[in-house]
Amino acid sequence: MTYFALFLSILALLSCNSAPTGVSAGPYGRIATYAGTGVAAKGPAIAALHETSFYLPLDLTFGPDGRPYILDWNNHRVRVVTQGRVSTLIGTGELGNAPAGPAREIGLNHPTHISFDPQGRLILSAWHNSMILRYDFASDYIQPICGTGERAYGGDDGPAELALINLPSATAFDPLGRMYISDQENQRIRMIDLDGNIKTVVGTGEPGFSGDGGPASEAQIYAPVGQAAPPTSRIAIDESGNLYLADTFNNRVRKVDAATGTITTIAGNGTFPSVSRGTLDEGAAALEVSLYWPCDLAIDSEGRIFIADTFNHCVRRIDLDGTISTIAGQCGKSGDEGDEGNPQIARLSRPYGIALDSDDNLYIADTRNHRIRIVRR
């Protein structure tokens, strides 16, 4: 083979593994399956990462111990990864009313999100149970701390354990230790103060879009409702206490300033795309881009906002200059492919949850593909 022919062969090989014009993986490397077989099933109680079956894994969160905790949504379980093996931490795997009790002896109804309180206890959004539960590692015991199980609205300005919440989809803690709840069907973000009392801090309770530039408590947000609604509208809080909301049905990401309480939109033009724009959105202002049911958010160590653009089947990032870029998936195109390749060429299917570890590696709950995928920095 001549040197010229060899050069052409190498060039052809490289082009097969490179991104389309206009796509760059940026600081992120290849995408791979972190956990899951890709087959929807209950699976064994303990198994290796790649031998574990999930059924619509919805989200994951890293605990203070550095371990990933996975929401195995349609299996009604919380799973945890320890030294490369997945085990059940909470839930029997059967539907239940989430009573207080030993963690693996209670039934849950589609748990949706995990956070950790300042004491290191696990906080579980028991979505269809309409309760917030707290798991204590020392006692291996779980108990309700907000909500009675009745799907309704009530209890503001009173004790959180007596309040009524409706499809709580996520929780987050501010630097003072106050807990915020995305009360999905009630179209509100509510806050439990350090005295244990609850109040509304975002939303009027009426679905819609209004209020940018004014007090968050007077603004309208819009989340899906009803028995068949998907779990959406998750929240995140940065180190300064600013709150970020995936305002799902408004196809926007909104921010509540910690100092002023003012709400603004930071991403999304409010319409969902009728067709895939491919690479046309890369580097555009985040406010000009069409999101499609964004469901989850994560914040990296430098303050960049990651978005699970769920019905666009991709993960995007708002950079510090306010522009947007795609980190994983081909926006507008679903599928299950691309492992060990460029993450922007890979296909995802309704990624409902995202998380970043201490090194800013990106983990994706590739929900309809029944996998957890990783994109390393």
Side-chain angles (χ1 to χ4, degrees):
M1 179 181 289
T2 67
Y3 285 116
F4 181 70
L6 180 61
F7 170 76
L8 290 179
S9 298
I10 294 172
L11 185 62
L13 180 62
L14 290 173
S15 66
C16 290
N17 293 294
S18 62
T21 302
V23 173
S24 170
Y28 281 83
R30 294 179 179 273
I31 190 170
T33 294
Y34 173 74
T37 63
V39 177
K42 182 172 291 188
I46 301 176
L49 284 167
H50 289 236
E51 297 173 355
T52 299
S53 294
F54 302 111
Y55 194 171
L56 299 176
L58 204 73
D59 199 14
L60 71 161
T61 302
F62 284 86
D65 56 9
R67 295 188 296 175
Y69 294 77
I70 299 172
L71 265 300
D72 195 356
W73 190 68
N74 221 32
N75 279 326
H76 316 291
R77 287 173 163 167
V78 174
R79 318 287 292 277
V80 60
V81 180
T82 306
Q83 297 180 341
R85 298 184 70 79
V86 181
S87 60
T88 296
L89 181 71
I90 303 171
T92 63
E94 305 299 328
L95 282 171
N97 295 324
R104 283 168 298 286
E105 297 178 13
I106 68 166
L108 303 170
N109 192 342
H110 295 99
T112 300
H113 182 262
I114 288 169
S115 65
F116 291 85
D117 71 12
Q119 290 75 41
R121 296 169 297 189
L122 186 151
I123 305 298
L124 180 63
S125 296
W127 188 65
H128 258 153
N129 295 120
S130 287
M131 290 189 286
I132 303 297
L133 310 178
R134 184 174 64 207
Y135 169 76
D136 184 85
F137 286 87
S139 64
D140 197 29
Y141 194 84
I142 194 163
Q143 65 184 61
I145 59 171
C146 181
T148 66
E150 180 183 353
R151 288 185 55 180
Y153 165 72
D156 268 4
D157 301 316
E161 64 266 24
L162 301 180
L164 301 177
I165 53 180
N166 196 340
L167 300 182
S169 62
T171 60
F173 288 84
D174 71 11
L176 297 177
R178 299 176 297 186
M179 183 170 72
Y180 293 72
I181 303 169
S182 180
D183 195 355
Q184 179 179 324
E185 187 146 324
N186 282 325
Q187 313 292 333
R188 301 169 186 265
I189 308 297
R190 300 168 80 181
M191 185 264 286
I192 301 176
D193 64 24
L194 300 182
D195 294 324
N197 294 318
I198 191 169
K199 68 176 182 179
T200 296
V201 293
V202 183
T204 64
E206 293 295 325
F209 174 73
S210 69
D212 268 4
S217 59
E218 298 177 10
Q220 288 176 291
I221 58 178
Y222 196 2
V225 301
Q227 190 67 20
T232 65
S233 311
R234 297 200 199 111
I235 55 178
I237 296 177
D238 67 19
E239 293 180 350
S240 299
N242 301 306
L243 183 145
Y244 299 84
L245 163 68
D247 195 355
T248 302
F249 256 21
N250 281 323
N251 297 299
R252 292 175 164 96
V253 175
R254 301 173 81 179
K255 173 184 176 181
V256 180
D257 185 89
T260 65
T262 300
I263 190 169
T264 56
T265 297
I266 62 169
N269 59 26
T271 63
F272 59 82
S274 56
V275 296
S276 171
R277 288 175 53 83
T279 61
L280 296 179
D281 286 337
E282 296 304 296
L287 288 168
E288 297 176 359
V289 170
S290 294
L291 305 177
Y292 192 2
W293 280 36
C295 286
D296 196 16
L297 305 169
I299 305 170
D300 74 7
S301 60
E302 296 181 355
R304 298 179 180 89
I305 310 298
F306 287 69
I307 307 168
D309 196 358
T310 302
F311 274 55
N312 264 331
H313 312 290
C314 60
V315 177
R316 305 199 195 196
R317 184 184 67 193
I318 306 172
D319 292 302
L320 299 180
D321 62 359
T323 60
I324 201 164
S325 57
T326 301
I327 300 299
Q330 297 185 44
C331 293
K333 299 178 181 179
S334 67
D336 182 11
E337 60 192 54
D339 269 2
E340 307 306 331
N342 186 327
Q344 293 172 307
I345 298 176
R347 299 284 185 93
L348 309 173
S349 185
R350 294 194 188 175
Y352 271 92
I354 52 176
L356 298 161
D357 66 16
S358 58
D359 295 319
D360 283 341
N361 297 307
L362 172 67
Y363 293 73
I364 304 167
D366 193 2
T367 302
R368 304 247 321 208
N369 286 326
H370 312 291
R371 306 175 189 270
I372 304 297
R373 299 173 83 177
I374 182 172
V375 184
R376 297 189 185 277
R377 281 189 67 89

